[in-house]
Each structure stands twice: as C-alpha cells, then as structure tokens.
Amino acid sequence: QPDDRGLIGDVPVLRVTRRGPEAVHFVPAALEPGAEVLLSLDWERRFDHMQQHSGQHLITAIAEQMFGFKTTSWELGRQRSVIELDTPSVTAEQMGALERSVNEKIRERVPVVVRELSADDPEIETVRSRGLPDDHAGPVRVVDIKGVDSNMCCGTHVSNLSDLQVIKLLGTEKGKKNKTNLVFLAGNRVLKSIEQSHSTEKALTSLLKNGPGEHVEAVKRLQSSVKLLQKNNLNLLRDIAVLIARDFKSKPVQSQLFVLHRKEGDSEFMNIIANEIGTEEALLFLTVGDEREAGLFLLAGPVDAVEHLGPRVAELLGGKGAGKRGRFQGKAAKMSRRGEVEALLQEFISHRSP
C-alpha cells in the first residue's frame, strides 16, 4: 500500500517509510525538536487507499472460498489495482459470480475489525498471512472481515464493508508463471471511472453524430475510410515521385544537384525519385516532413561523395542515419537547417567540378 501524505505544521510530508518499528517521514525542511505541531492528513488519499486495500482483502477471500484461487501478490496502483491469482485463467462466468458475491457482502454491511496479537499468540497460525518481515517488532496486527476473512496486515482499512460502496472487476490480464492478474476498482474510483467514461461518451456522441450504441460501428467505418484514403494517397505520392524524376531528367542540361522538400511523403517516396533519376552523376538531397521540425532525409549520388557527405548532412540536421551503395538516409530533428545542407552540397560540387 502506498504511504500517506499530509503536513507537519506547514511543512509537507514527501514520503513515509518504515525502519523496523519506526515510521520515518521525509520533509523538505528541518523541524525544531520538541515543537508542538498540528498533523494534517491527506484524507482523500488515505480513504482511497483504505477502499482499495479492504476491497483487495474481500476479493481475495471470496475468490479463494468460491474457486480456490489463492492470491500471491497485489498492487495498489494510482488508477487501478491488480490482484495476482494463482490460476492460469479466470472465466467470464467466474468473474461475474465473484463480482456479484463481493458486492453482496458490501450490501450486508459486514464489520471490519483490527486486532493486535502478541507475536507468540497461537491464533496467529490460523490467520492468513504471507509471513512477517525480518525486522518486525511489537504486536502483530490482524484485520478481520467478520465471517469472511482474517488476515495479517499493516495497511489502513475501512471499519465496515459498506464504506467500500461498490467493487467493479474490470477484467483479467495474463500474469507471470501461469498466473492471472485480476484488475479492479473500489469505491470512489468506480464513480470517477463512470464520470470519465460518460464524458468520453458525450464527446464521441458529438463528434460521430450518433448515439452511444452506434459508436463502435461508426469508428469502424471511419477506420475503413482512412485506410482507403491512405492507400489512394500512397498511390498518388508514387505517381508524383515518378513525374518529379522524369521532369528532372527531361531538362536539356541537368544540374549536378537536385534538392526537393515535400511535407507529405515518406522514405519510399524519396527512394522512388532516386531510383527514377539514377544517381551515377547528380547528387540528390530529398527531405519530407515538417519544414521547421522533424522529418526524414535522403542523400543519394556517387558512392564516394555520399560516404563523405552523409554523416555531415545528418549532423547538420541534428539527426542520425546510415547508408550503403550511394544512399544515406535517416531521421532529421532540425529540418530548418536544410539550407545549410544545400550550401554544403553546392560547395562540394563546386570544388569537385573541373
């Protein structure tokens, strides 16, 4: 269970941890020894942890009683909590029955009682436990859900199951070593989840122009449309690449440097242009993406020239790349420096030309 937060006077508590029998508080400023202070607890955080932890005890106990599923570990997360069950799978029917059963116990308003036993009390042997820490000192704390569960625990808990309000099992995930992770929400987290889901549903209703029951089909239609548009767009880009290359080759006097930037495009677009033009004589510097931000680049041309210039081009563009056989391509973080690359290439050509 995560630690509590709050204030010591007006000094915030950043973290609390245990060292043996002591609770060590981490604070950003020194406190005067012996000073009288008011301790203020972040109750919303504490009560959330109480609901999730007591909810875990209840789910664990009922899952073992109903199906023999033992809990091997659990995690109280910020958004959701997970119980690791020692079973390779949990069916939908089992999960539904488990959810109904734990909520029945909540409606029955079963008391939750905390007891402290001495370390040598024989009753400890009858209490569900994963064992005491090696540095444990003092009495042993036991949390009882009356008639349901008795568990050794140092966490904070509600005093009655009715304080849990409701438990919602969200589903299962494949765990490690042939185990199953059961995901759940308890109490106020269920209400927050419903509120968030309702807000999302309202937003989708407005965007998709239909009711919640039709959202899935509407999204499927949109996905199909997008795939078709992407396919058509790719075909058009290929045609444009061929036309650009043919236009360059059709000129009576071909330049030794060809530079092109296009916001829409990809690596295939640039490589088609390079293939169509041929790179035995001319240097090609092609880029695609946002003119001021990140994108892709391709330098193509004579092998010796590309091997010499490729790493320098990548460095100027703030990116990384690799190449072979007269092609050097990669990602660019600073597309705004394309002008500097062009100047570098022009200078190289001017020194290379007779």
Side-chain angles (χ1 to χ4, degrees), residues 178-208:
N178 215 26
K179 296 178 182 179
T180 299
N181 294 332
L182 179 65
V183 185
F184 77 94
L185 303 174
N188 288 331
R189 291 195 182 190
V190 178
L191 300 179
K192 289 179 181 179
S193 178
I194 292 173
E195 182 179 356
Q196 184 179 23
S197 297
H198 183 60
S199 296
T200 302
E201 186 179 276
K202 286 174 63 179
L204 287 173
T205 297
S206 176
L207 290 169
L208 300 174

PDB file of all heavy atoms in Angstrom, residues 178-208:
ATOM      1  N   ASN A 178       2.244 -18.639 -15.285  1.00  0.00           N
ATOM      2  CA  ASN A 178       0.958 -19.342 -15.327  1.00  0.00           C
ATOM      3  C   ASN A 178      -0.058 -18.800 -14.315  1.00  0.00           C
ATOM      4  O   ASN A 178      -0.882 -19.541 -13.782  1.00  0.00           O
ATOM      5  CB  ASN A 178       1.164 -20.840 -15.086  1.00  0.00           C
ATOM      6  CG  ASN A 178       0.184 -21.684 -15.886  1.00  0.00           C
ATOM      7  OD1 ASN A 178      -0.299 -21.266 -16.934  1.00  0.00           O
ATOM      8  ND2 ASN A 178      -0.116 -22.873 -15.395  1.00  0.00           N
ATOM      9  N   LYS A 179       0.018 -17.481 -14.067  1.00  0.00           N
ATOM     10  CA  LYS A 179      -0.922 -16.842 -13.149  1.00  0.00           C
ATOM     11  C   LYS A 179      -1.786 -15.834 -13.898  1.00  0.00           C
ATOM     12  O   LYS A 179      -1.538 -15.522 -15.060  1.00  0.00           O
ATOM     13  CB  LYS A 179      -0.167 -16.164 -11.996  1.00  0.00           C
ATOM     14  CG  LYS A 179       0.594 -17.164 -11.117  1.00  0.00           C
ATOM     15  CD  LYS A 179       1.364 -16.475 -10.015  1.00  0.00           C
ATOM     16  CE  LYS A 179       2.147 -17.495  -9.190  1.00  0.00           C
ATOM     17  NZ  LYS A 179       2.931 -16.847  -8.111  1.00  0.00           N
ATOM     18  N   THR A 180      -2.820 -15.327 -13.216  1.00  0.00           N
ATOM     19  CA  THR A 180      -3.752 -14.386 -13.828  1.00  0.00           C
ATOM     20  C   THR A 180      -3.844 -13.129 -12.974  1.00  0.00           C
ATOM     21  O   THR A 180      -3.992 -13.207 -11.757  1.00  0.00           O
ATOM     22  CB  THR A 180      -5.156 -15.011 -13.965  1.00  0.00           C
ATOM     23  OG1 THR A 180      -5.071 -16.171 -14.800  1.00  0.00           O
ATOM     24  CG2 THR A 180      -6.135 -14.027 -14.579  1.00  0.00           C
ATOM     25  N   ASN A 181      -3.759 -11.973 -13.621  1.00  0.00           N
ATOM     26  CA  ASN A 181      -3.915 -10.698 -12.937  1.00  0.00           C
ATOM     27  C   ASN A 181      -5.369 -10.228 -13.057  1.00  0.00           C
ATOM     28  O   ASN A 181      -5.882 -10.060 -14.166  1.00  0.00           O
ATOM     29  CB  ASN A 181      -2.988  -9.644 -13.523  1.00  0.00           C
ATOM     30  CG  ASN A 181      -1.525  -9.965 -13.285  1.00  0.00           C
ATOM     31  OD1 ASN A 181      -1.183 -10.624 -12.313  1.00  0.00           O
ATOM     32  ND2 ASN A 181      -0.651  -9.511 -14.170  1.00  0.00           N
ATOM     33  N   LEU A 182      -6.003 -10.009 -11.910  1.00  0.00           N
ATOM     34  CA  LEU A 182      -7.388  -9.539 -11.866  1.00  0.00           C
ATOM     35  C   LEU A 182      -7.383  -8.044 -11.569  1.00  0.00           C
ATOM     36  O   LEU A 182      -6.864  -7.610 -10.539  1.00  0.00           O
ATOM     37  CB  LEU A 182      -8.162 -10.295 -10.789  1.00  0.00           C
ATOM     38  CG  LEU A 182      -9.639  -9.908 -10.588  1.00  0.00           C
ATOM     39  CD1 LEU A 182     -10.450 -10.243 -11.833  1.00  0.00           C
ATOM     40  CD2 LEU A 182     -10.206 -10.620  -9.366  1.00  0.00           C
ATOM     41  N   VAL A 183      -7.953  -7.253 -12.462  1.00  0.00           N
ATOM     42  CA  VAL A 183      -7.940  -5.794 -12.330  1.00  0.00           C
ATOM     43  C   VAL A 183      -9.266  -5.332 -11.730  1.00  0.00           C
ATOM     44  O   VAL A 183     -10.336  -5.773 -12.171  1.00  0.00           O
ATOM     45  CB  VAL A 183      -7.728  -5.120 -13.709  1.00  0.00           C
ATOM     46  CG1 VAL A 183      -7.591  -3.613 -13.554  1.00  0.00           C
ATOM     47  CG2 VAL A 183      -6.500  -5.705 -14.401  1.00  0.00           C
ATOM     48  N   PHE A 184      -9.200  -4.433 -10.729  1.00  0.00           N
ATOM     49  CA  PHE A 184     -10.438  -3.994 -10.085  1.00  0.00           C
ATOM     50  C   PHE A 184     -10.364  -2.537  -9.651  1.00  0.00           C
ATOM     51  O   PHE A 184      -9.286  -1.941  -9.534  1.00  0.00           O
ATOM     52  CB  PHE A 184     -10.754  -4.880  -8.872  1.00  0.00           C
ATOM     53  CG  PHE A 184      -9.917  -4.585  -7.644  1.00  0.00           C
ATOM     54  CD1 PHE A 184     -10.384  -3.715  -6.652  1.00  0.00           C
ATOM     55  CD2 PHE A 184      -8.679  -5.171  -7.470  1.00  0.00           C
ATOM     56  CE1 PHE A 184      -9.623  -3.442  -5.528  1.00  0.00           C
ATOM     57  CE2 PHE A 184      -7.917  -4.907  -6.343  1.00  0.00           C
ATOM     58  CZ  PHE A 184      -8.382  -4.036  -5.364  1.00  0.00           C
ATOM     59  N   LEU A 185     -11.556  -1.971  -9.409  1.00  0.00           N
ATOM     60  CA  LEU A 185     -11.723  -0.646  -8.815  1.00  0.00           C
ATOM     61  C   LEU A 185     -12.657  -0.785  -7.628  1.00  0.00           C
ATOM     62  O   LEU A 185     -13.571  -1.607  -7.644  1.00  0.00           O
ATOM     63  CB  LEU A 185     -12.336   0.346  -9.808  1.00  0.00           C
ATOM     64  CG  LEU A 185     -11.628   0.588 -11.136  1.00  0.00           C
ATOM     65  CD1 LEU A 185     -12.485   1.497 -12.021  1.00  0.00           C
ATOM     66  CD2 LEU A 185     -10.263   1.209 -10.910  1.00  0.00           C
ATOM     67  N   ALA A 186     -12.438   0.048  -6.603  1.00  0.00           N
ATOM     68  CA  ALA A 186     -13.334   0.041  -5.444  1.00  0.00           C
ATOM     69  C   ALA A 186     -13.716   1.466  -5.075  1.00  0.00           C
ATOM     70  O   ALA A 186     -12.937   2.402  -5.238  1.00  0.00           O
ATOM     71  CB  ALA A 186     -12.662  -0.641  -4.248  1.00  0.00           C
ATOM     72  N   GLY A 187     -14.957   1.624  -4.592  1.00  0.00           N
ATOM     73  CA  GLY A 187     -15.399   2.887  -4.012  1.00  0.00           C
ATOM     74  C   GLY A 187     -15.408   4.055  -4.973  1.00  0.00           C
ATOM     75  O   GLY A 187     -15.941   3.981  -6.090  1.00  0.00           O
ATOM     76  N   ASN A 188     -14.776   5.161  -4.556  1.00  0.00           N
ATOM     77  CA  ASN A 188     -14.800   6.394  -5.338  1.00  0.00           C
ATOM     78  C   ASN A 188     -14.138   6.239  -6.699  1.00  0.00           C
ATOM     79  O   ASN A 188     -14.452   6.983  -7.631  1.00  0.00           O
ATOM     80  CB  ASN A 188     -14.118   7.519  -4.555  1.00  0.00           C
ATOM     81  CG  ASN A 188     -14.950   7.988  -3.376  1.00  0.00           C
ATOM     82  OD1 ASN A 188     -16.181   7.915  -3.415  1.00  0.00           O
ATOM     83  ND2 ASN A 188     -14.299   8.451  -2.321  1.00  0.00           N
ATOM     84  N   ARG A 189     -13.224   5.285  -6.823  1.00  0.00           N
ATOM     85  CA  ARG A 189     -12.598   5.071  -8.127  1.00  0.00           C
ATOM     86  C   ARG A 189     -13.617   4.590  -9.159  1.00  0.00           C
ATOM     87  O   ARG A 189     -13.482   4.880 -10.353  1.00  0.00           O
ATOM     88  CB  ARG A 189     -11.449   4.066  -8.017  1.00  0.00           C
ATOM     89  CG  ARG A 189     -10.257   4.603  -7.251  1.00  0.00           C
ATOM     90  CD  ARG A 189      -9.017   3.753  -7.453  1.00  0.00           C
ATOM     91  NE  ARG A 189      -7.898   4.242  -6.671  1.00  0.00           N
ATOM     92  CZ  ARG A 189      -6.645   3.812  -6.784  1.00  0.00           C
ATOM     93  NH1 ARG A 189      -6.359   2.864  -7.664  1.00  0.00           N
ATOM     94  NH2 ARG A 189      -5.689   4.308  -6.033  1.00  0.00           N
ATOM     95  N   VAL A 190     -14.615   3.843  -8.723  1.00  0.00           N
ATOM     96  CA  VAL A 190     -15.678   3.404  -9.633  1.00  0.00           C
ATOM     97  C   VAL A 190     -16.462   4.621 -10.124  1.00  0.00           C
ATOM     98  O   VAL A 190     -16.755   4.748 -11.318  1.00  0.00           O
ATOM     99  CB  VAL A 190     -16.615   2.392  -8.942  1.00  0.00           C
ATOM    100  CG1 VAL A 190     -17.736   1.974  -9.887  1.00  0.00           C
ATOM    101  CG2 VAL A 190     -15.833   1.170  -8.476  1.00  0.00           C
ATOM    102  N   LEU A 191     -16.792   5.530  -9.205  1.00  0.00           N
ATOM    103  CA  LEU A 191     -17.538   6.731  -9.579  1.00  0.00           C
ATOM    104  C   LEU A 191     -16.737   7.596 -10.545  1.00  0.00           C
ATOM    105  O   LEU A 191     -17.281   8.131 -11.527  1.00  0.00           O
ATOM    106  CB  LEU A 191     -17.900   7.531  -8.323  1.00  0.00           C
ATOM    107  CG  LEU A 191     -18.763   6.813  -7.281  1.00  0.00           C
ATOM    108  CD1 LEU A 191     -19.015   7.718  -6.080  1.00  0.00           C
ATOM    109  CD2 LEU A 191     -20.085   6.359  -7.895  1.00  0.00           C
ATOM    110  N   LYS A 192     -15.439   7.749 -10.269  1.00  0.00           N
ATOM    111  CA  LYS A 192     -14.596   8.555 -11.156  1.00  0.00           C
ATOM    112  C   LYS A 192     -14.492   7.917 -12.531  1.00  0.00           C
ATOM    113  O   LYS A 192     -14.478   8.615 -13.550  1.00  0.00           O
ATOM    114  CB  LYS A 192     -13.203   8.717 -10.534  1.00  0.00           C
ATOM    115  CG  LYS A 192     -13.173   9.626  -9.318  1.00  0.00           C
ATOM    116  CD  LYS A 192     -11.768   9.718  -8.727  1.00  0.00           C
ATOM    117  CE  LYS A 192     -11.761  10.614  -7.492  1.00  0.00           C
ATOM    118  NZ  LYS A 192     -10.405  10.695  -6.873  1.00  0.00           N
ATOM    119  N   SER A 193     -14.410   6.583 -12.558  1.00  0.00           N
ATOM    120  CA  SER A 193     -14.330   5.891 -13.841  1.00  0.00           C
ATOM    121  C   SER A 193     -15.606   6.079 -14.659  1.00  0.00           C
ATOM    122  O   SER A 193     -15.557   6.301 -15.868  1.00  0.00           O
ATOM    123  CB  SER A 193     -14.077   4.396 -13.599  1.00  0.00           C
ATOM    124  OG  SER A 193     -14.043   3.685 -14.815  1.00  0.00           O
ATOM    125  N   ILE A 194     -16.756   6.010 -13.985  1.00  0.00           N
ATOM    126  CA  ILE A 194     -18.030   6.223 -14.674  1.00  0.00           C
ATOM    127  C   ILE A 194     -18.115   7.652 -15.214  1.00  0.00           C
ATOM    128  O   ILE A 194     -18.552   7.882 -16.346  1.00  0.00           O
ATOM    129  CB  ILE A 194     -19.211   5.927 -13.727  1.00  0.00           C
ATOM    130  CG1 ILE A 194     -19.260   4.431 -13.397  1.00  0.00           C
ATOM    131  CG2 ILE A 194     -20.536   6.373 -14.351  1.00  0.00           C
ATOM    132  CD1 ILE A 194     -20.282   4.074 -12.340  1.00  0.00           C
ATOM    133  N   GLU A 195     -17.672   8.611 -14.397  1.00  0.00           N
ATOM    134  CA  GLU A 195     -17.702  10.010 -14.832  1.00  0.00           C
ATOM    135  C   GLU A 195     -16.818  10.221 -16.056  1.00  0.00           C
ATOM    136  O   GLU A 195     -17.206  10.890 -17.011  1.00  0.00           O
ATOM    137  CB  GLU A 195     -17.225  10.902 -13.682  1.00  0.00           C
ATOM    138  CG  GLU A 195     -17.268  12.386 -14.013  1.00  0.00           C
ATOM    139  CD  GLU A 195     -16.808  13.251 -12.850  1.00  0.00           C
ATOM    140  OE1 GLU A 195     -16.536  12.712 -11.764  1.00  0.00           O
ATOM    141  OE2 GLU A 195     -16.700  14.471 -13.033  1.00  0.00           O
ATOM    142  N   GLN A 196     -15.625   9.631 -16.030  1.00  0.00           N
ATOM    143  CA  GLN A 196     -14.718   9.757 -17.161  1.00  0.00           C
ATOM    144  C   GLN A 196     -15.293   9.087 -18.409  1.00  0.00           C
ATOM    145  O   GLN A 196     -15.232   9.640 -19.514  1.00  0.00           O
ATOM    146  CB  GLN A 196     -13.364   9.138 -16.805  1.00  0.00           C
ATOM    147  CG  GLN A 196     -12.305   9.309 -17.885  1.00  0.00           C
ATOM    148  CD  GLN A 196     -10.975   8.707 -17.488  1.00  0.00           C
ATOM    149  OE1 GLN A 196     -10.915   7.821 -16.640  1.00  0.00           O
ATOM    150  NE2 GLN A 196      -9.896   9.171 -18.083  1.00  0.00           N
ATOM    151  N   SER A 197     -15.867   7.896 -18.232  1.00  0.00           N
ATOM    152  CA  SER A 197     -16.458   7.180 -19.365  1.00  0.00           C
ATOM    153  C   SER A 197     -17.630   7.955 -19.954  1.00  0.00           C
ATOM    154  O   SER A 197     -17.801   8.006 -21.182  1.00  0.00           O
ATOM    155  CB  SER A 197     -16.925   5.786 -18.933  1.00  0.00           C
ATOM    156  OG  SER A 197     -15.839   4.998 -18.502  1.00  0.00           O
ATOM    157  N   HIS A 198     -18.433   8.581 -19.080  1.00  0.00           N
ATOM    158  CA  HIS A 198     -19.578   9.349 -19.556  1.00  0.00           C
ATOM    159  C   HIS A 198     -19.119  10.584 -20.334  1.00  0.00           C
ATOM    160  O   HIS A 198     -19.707  10.925 -21.377  1.00  0.00           O
ATOM    161  CB  HIS A 198     -20.447   9.765 -18.372  1.00  0.00           C
ATOM    162  CG  HIS A 198     -21.690  10.510 -18.769  1.00  0.00           C
ATOM    163  ND1 HIS A 198     -22.660   9.965 -19.585  1.00  0.00           N
ATOM    164  CD2 HIS A 198     -22.116  11.777 -18.485  1.00  0.00           C
ATOM    165  CE1 HIS A 198     -23.631  10.842 -19.775  1.00  0.00           C
ATOM    166  NE2 HIS A 198     -23.312  11.950 -19.128  1.00  0.00           N
ATOM    167  N   SER A 199     -18.061  11.228 -19.855  1.00  0.00           N
ATOM    168  CA  SER A 199     -17.534  12.400 -20.566  1.00  0.00           C
ATOM    169  C   SER A 199     -17.021  11.999 -21.942  1.00  0.00           C
ATOM    170  O   SER A 199     -17.248  12.703 -22.935  1.00  0.00           O
ATOM    171  CB  SER A 199     -16.403  13.045 -19.755  1.00  0.00           C
ATOM    172  OG  SER A 199     -16.880  13.542 -18.535  1.00  0.00           O
ATOM    173  N   THR A 200     -16.341  10.848 -21.998  1.00  0.00           N
ATOM    174  CA  THR A 200     -15.845  10.357 -23.282  1.00  0.00           C
ATOM    175  C   THR A 200     -16.999  10.012 -24.214  1.00  0.00           C
ATOM    176  O   THR A 200     -16.970  10.315 -25.413  1.00  0.00           O
ATOM    177  CB  THR A 200     -14.966   9.104 -23.061  1.00  0.00           C
ATOM    178  OG1 THR A 200     -13.885   9.438 -22.189  1.00  0.00           O
ATOM    179  CG2 THR A 200     -14.417   8.578 -24.376  1.00  0.00           C
ATOM    180  N   GLU A 201     -18.030   9.406 -23.645  1.00  0.00           N
ATOM    181  CA  GLU A 201     -19.208   9.031 -24.438  1.00  0.00           C
ATOM    182  C   GLU A 201     -19.889  10.273 -25.019  1.00  0.00           C
ATOM    183  O   GLU A 201     -20.290  10.289 -26.193  1.00  0.00           O
ATOM    184  CB  GLU A 201     -20.165   8.258 -23.549  1.00  0.00           C
ATOM    185  CG  GLU A 201     -21.371   7.675 -24.260  1.00  0.00           C
ATOM    186  CD  GLU A 201     -22.257   6.897 -23.317  1.00  0.00           C
ATOM    187  OE1 GLU A 201     -21.952   5.713 -23.083  1.00  0.00           O
ATOM    188  OE2 GLU A 201     -23.223   7.488 -22.788  1.00  0.00           O
ATOM    189  N   LYS A 202     -20.018  11.321 -24.219  1.00  0.00           N
ATOM    190  CA  LYS A 202     -20.630  12.572 -24.698  1.00  0.00           C
ATOM    191  C   LYS A 202     -19.807  13.187 -25.821  1.00  0.00           C
ATOM    192  O   LYS A 202     -20.345  13.671 -26.813  1.00  0.00           O
ATOM    193  CB  LYS A 202     -20.769  13.561 -23.543  1.00  0.00           C
ATOM    194  CG  LYS A 202     -21.883  13.228 -22.568  1.00  0.00           C
ATOM    195  CD  LYS A 202     -21.879  14.164 -21.373  1.00  0.00           C
ATOM    196  CE  LYS A 202     -22.141  15.606 -21.773  1.00  0.00           C
ATOM    197  NZ  LYS A 202     -22.157  16.497 -20.584  1.00  0.00           N
ATOM    198  N   ALA A 203     -18.476  13.174 -25.655  1.00  0.00           N
ATOM    199  CA  ALA A 203     -17.608  13.752 -26.675  1.00  0.00           C
ATOM    200  C   ALA A 203     -17.717  12.960 -27.980  1.00  0.00           C
ATOM    201  O   ALA A 203     -17.786  13.548 -29.071  1.00  0.00           O
ATOM    202  CB  ALA A 203     -16.166  13.768 -26.176  1.00  0.00           C
ATOM    203  N   LEU A 204     -17.749  11.628 -27.888  1.00  0.00           N
ATOM    204  CA  LEU A 204     -17.883  10.804 -29.091  1.00  0.00           C
ATOM    205  C   LEU A 204     -19.237  10.988 -29.760  1.00  0.00           C
ATOM    206  O   LEU A 204     -19.343  10.996 -30.989  1.00  0.00           O
ATOM    207  CB  LEU A 204     -17.673   9.326 -28.724  1.00  0.00           C
ATOM    208  CG  LEU A 204     -16.233   8.905 -28.414  1.00  0.00           C
ATOM    209  CD1 LEU A 204     -16.199   7.465 -27.906  1.00  0.00           C
ATOM    210  CD2 LEU A 204     -15.357   9.035 -29.657  1.00  0.00           C
ATOM    211  N   THR A 205     -20.280  11.137 -28.941  1.00  0.00           N
ATOM    212  CA  THR A 205     -21.618  11.373 -29.493  1.00  0.00           C
ATOM    213  C   THR A 205     -21.636  12.651 -30.323  1.00  0.00           C
ATOM    214  O   THR A 205     -22.223  12.712 -31.403  1.00  0.00           O
ATOM    215  CB  THR A 205     -22.659  11.456 -28.364  1.00  0.00           C
ATOM    216  OG1 THR A 205     -22.702  10.193 -27.682  1.00  0.00           O
ATOM    217  CG2 THR A 205     -24.036  11.785 -28.908  1.00  0.00           C
ATOM    218  N   SER A 206     -20.958  13.686 -29.812  1.00  0.00           N
ATOM    219  CA  SER A 206     -20.897  14.957 -30.527  1.00  0.00           C
ATOM    220  C   SER A 206     -20.084  14.841 -31.809  1.00  0.00           C
ATOM    221  O   SER A 206     -20.461  15.381 -32.853  1.00  0.00           O
ATOM    222  CB  SER A 206     -20.292  16.030 -29.610  1.00  0.00           C
ATOM    223  OG  SER A 206     -20.128  17.240 -30.295  1.00  0.00           O
ATOM    224  N   LEU A 207     -18.956  14.121 -31.752  1.00  0.00           N
ATOM    225  CA  LEU A 207     -18.076  14.006 -32.916  1.00  0.00           C
ATOM    226  C   LEU A 207     -18.634  13.083 -33.981  1.00  0.00           C
ATOM    227  O   LEU A 207     -18.543  13.378 -35.185  1.00  0.00           O
ATOM    228  CB  LEU A 207     -16.697  13.500 -32.474  1.00  0.00           C
ATOM    229  CG  LEU A 207     -15.842  14.469 -31.647  1.00  0.00           C
ATOM    230  CD1 LEU A 207     -14.642  13.740 -31.067  1.00  0.00           C
ATOM    231  CD2 LEU A 207     -15.382  15.641 -32.507  1.00  0.00           C
ATOM    232  N   LEU A 208     -19.217  11.956 -33.557  1.00  0.00           N
ATOM    233  CA  LEU A 208     -19.675  10.937 -34.506  1.00  0.00           C
ATOM    234  C   LEU A 208     -21.110  11.159 -34.972  1.00  0.00           C
ATOM    235  O   LEU A 208     -21.574  10.495 -35.897  1.00  0.00           O
ATOM    236  CB  LEU A 208     -19.547   9.548 -33.886  1.00  0.00           C
ATOM    237  CG  LEU A 208     -18.122   9.124 -33.476  1.00  0.00           C
ATOM    238  CD1 LEU A 208     -18.146   7.796 -32.737  1.00  0.00           C
ATOM    239  CD2 LEU A 208     -17.226   9.025 -34.705  1.00  0.00           C
TER     240      LEU A 208
END
